[in-house]
């Protein structure tokens, strides 16, 4: 079920980006990258996110799973 939810969120992300929905502000202040600068398209938008951003997403996701689903 968890993978299905993640897939649905990914699908909604692609639809929202293609529709032109953008968050205000910066995706990365140090690289001067705004959310509006992220290209539309599945793989292009994924490649635009800096490596540190992907690391942050993965760490927070792992922390959420460990805390909420008590994997220890």
């Amino acid at each position: 079920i968890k993978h299905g939810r993640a897939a649905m969120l990914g699908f909604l992300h692609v639809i929202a980006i293609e529709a032109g929905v953008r968050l205000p502000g910066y995706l990365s202040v140090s690289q001067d990258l705004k959310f509006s600068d992220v290209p539309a398209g599945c793989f292009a938008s994924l490649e635009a996110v800096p490596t540190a951003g992907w690391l942050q997403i993965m760490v927070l996701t792992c922390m959420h799973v460990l805390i909420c689903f008590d994997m220890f």
Side-chain angles (χ1 to χ4, degrees):
I1 291 177
K2 288 187 282 184
H3 296 293
R5 291 179 187 158
M8 286 187 278
L9 284 174
F11 176 74
L12 288 176
H13 161 77
V14 171
I15 297 298
I17 294 296
E18 289 288 339
V21 177
R22 303 280 199 245
L23 295 174
Y26 284 90
L27 178 63
S28 174
V29 177
S30 63
Q31 295 182 2
D32 196 33
L33 180 65
K34 295 183 179 182
F35 285 105
S36 59
D37 297 335
V38 176
C42 184
F43 295 111
S45 62
L46 293 175
E47 292 172 354
V49 176
T51 305
W54 282 115
L55 216 73
Q56 182 180 11
I57 291 169
M58 295 307 297
V59 167
L60 290 174
T61 303
C62 291
M63 287 173 51
H64 177 270
V65 169
L66 289 175
I67 291 169
C68 293
F69 298 109
D70 196 27
M71 299 301 237
F72 289 114

